[in-house]
Amino acid sequence: MRPAAANFYLTYRCNDTCEFCGMWREADLQKTPEAGFEETKKTLSELKDLGVAYLDLTGGEPLLREDLPQILKHSKEINFYTTLTTNGLLYPQRAKEITQFIDRLIFSLDSPASDEHDRIRGAVCFDKVLESVKIAKSLGKTPVLNFTLTRESVASLPEMATLAEELGCLLWVNPVFDFESLNGFEADTIDHIKYFGYKSNVAFNLAALAFIKASGNNEKRPRCRAALAVITVTPDNCLMVPCIKNKEGKIKIEGSLKETLLASKKLSKMSGRLVICRGCMMWPYMIPSFLYKIDRYFFLNLWSAIDLYRKEYLLKKGGKK
Ligand code: SF4
């Protein structure tokens, strides 16, 4: 089976200092050189040739990349379905040069209260997100608000749903990847989240919620298929196998991407089996992994994907009236 998705880290630099993210704290990571446009373009084309359909341009803050418009334009030309997540700080000034090339534009919003959102993010950015949403809508987009759910923030889900409705956005409820912050998510909490599924502007992944209930990946009977489902590219044009978390699995793309992938086959087989895999809930890997085995996660994930696309479509349609 071909990989469904690519997680393409354009930069590790960020203009936020989020309390739940370790990236900005790692000095070495922040010094990572970034591949130039031609090298990035070659890797994107090779990903497409391998049959990857879904491209997630991520970071760090991807809008810090000067050459982002060229990267997005090339991704569009070779027919990727491209998603881009931003904190909104730079979006107002860059909106016109990038929006037309993005299929799903996602703004991070962690709280309906500006002071709380800014505290979590370590930067004054709540108002920028609201401004960004307005600009994106004026450019014909229906943005998604990515609400990172923690034990603490779950209490503000009703207000978040209302805010998203007022803004005419879809709210994507995304449990944080960090297991500690989810520890203590009880069955009632998960039922509380599921309750919001009736809303036409709220979406989440039922397979992810079931996976939280099951305490994440079990390294002895792994459900993760990271290397099979997702190709991870770093800002310095390396692969991370089986996923971004495995620092020992960094391999420079030399020659062709296909050859580099073949050379990493042994590491690929370690998906979900490493010590770091215990209890893992890295959704950018786990959600595509759910496609690679027919079980209850497969069907819950499929149902959730249909629900997400349906709600997104209806919102877009409603916005055009
Ligand atoms: S760390 Fe998580 S995403 Fe990475 S291979 Fe292990 S289980 Fe999969």
Side-chain angles (χ1 to χ4, degrees), residues 56-58 60-63 83-87 106-108 146:
D56 184 32
L57 294 175
T58 186
E61 169 54 45
L63 269 71
T83 66
L84 182 132
T85 305
T86 170
N87 58 27
I106 306 168
F107 295 112
S108 304
N146 184 65

Side-chain angles (χ1 to χ4, degrees), residues 261-306:
L261 278 169
L262 281 173
S264 69
K265 246 191 165 159
K266 215 170 156 190
L267 259 178
S268 306
K269 291 194 176 136
M270 296 312 291
S271 297
R273 297 179 189 279
L274 300 161
V275 175
I276 52 166
C277 300
R278 187 172 303 159
C280 179
M281 298 176 197
M282 292 266 286
W283 308 121
Y285 294 96
M286 227 47 88
I287 289 176
S289 289
F290 294 146
L291 295 167
Y292 286 73
K293 183 182 169 192
I294 312 249
D295 60 0
R296 69 185 180 120
Y297 296 115
F298 175 91
F299 290 108
L300 288 171
N301 181 47
L302 189 65
W303 192 94
S304 304
I306 295 168

Side-chain angles (χ1 to χ4, degrees), residues 117-155:
H117 175 77
D118 294 348
R119 185 194 65 75
I120 294 169
R121 293 259 146 193
V124 179
C125 53
F126 181 88
D127 290 343
K128 283 282 182 193
V129 174
L130 301 199
E131 186 187 347
S132 295
V133 166
K134 278 190 196 136
I135 295 170
K137 294 198 75 158
S138 75
L139 295 171
K141 282 277 164 226
T142 302
V144 174
L145 296 179
N146 184 65
F147 176 35
T148 300
L149 204 69
T150 64
R151 241 187 349 251
E152 290 74 34
S153 69
V154 70

Side-chain angles (χ1 to χ4, degrees), residues 62-70 90-99 135 139:
L63 269 71
L64 286 168
R65 276 284 292 244
E66 280 292 314
D67 54 0
L68 184 61
Q70 291 107 289
L90 293 172
Y91 181 78
Q93 69 201 65
R94 302 205 70 185
K96 286 201 176 123
E97 50 176 356
I98 59 171
T99 306
I135 295 170
L139 295 171

